Every structure is written in structure tokens, then in C-alpha cells.
Amino acid sequence: MAGTTRSRRPGGPEQARQYEYRVLTIPRTTSRGDARRLLTEQAEYGRWELARTLLYAGGERKVWLRRRIIRVRSTLGALGD
């Protein structure tokens, strides 16, 4: 299984939601139960959600997972005041 991660902003700059995407390719030899277990682990421990699936004629699956990017603001500037 291969995975890539990339970020994109679905709307314009005024929209604050940003998502990180991971694309998984699941070979046709993977059982349905194993694929479900893999996606469940990604959702529970990696906070990924299912965005899209594609099933090819040969049985290979391509799955797009996404998760929200959370931006944290630094509070270190407030310490020197």
C-alpha cells in the first residue's frame, strides 16, 4: 500500500478550513475485512476521515482520506509583557 500526503485549501483565502489528504492504494489481494481494519485504524489513531473511494475494474481500490489541519498560535510573545 502506498500513501502520499498533501495539503490544499478547498475555498478561497477567506475560508479557514484546510485539509491534509492521504491517498492509499489497496491491492486487489487485500481482503475486505483487512481493508476495513486498515481504514478503521487510520480513523481512530490518525484522525483521518474518508473523503473518496475509487474501485478499479481489476479490484484495486484507491482511497482518499482527509483530516483538518489545526493551526496553533504561539503564546510565547505574551510571556515577555
Side-chain angles (χ1 to χ4, degrees), residues 6-37:
R6 63 189 148 127
S7 300
R8 77 175 182 126
R9 182 175 286 184
E14 69 279 354
Q15 191 172 9
R17 287 190 181 173
Q18 290 184 342
Y19 291 97
E20 180 179 14
Y21 286 84
R22 172 176 281 174
V23 180
L24 298 177
T25 302
I26 302 174
R28 67 185 200 97
T29 57
T30 304
S31 71
R32 191 173 186 169
D34 288 342
R36 181 178 54 224
R37 199 170 5 263

Side-chain angles (χ1 to χ4, degrees), residues 39-54:
L39 295 174
T40 301
E41 287 176 6
Q42 294 292 319
E44 287 183 9
Y45 302 115
R47 300 188 57 129
W48 293 97
E49 64 184 30
L50 186 63
R52 181 179 177 195
T53 60
L54 186 61

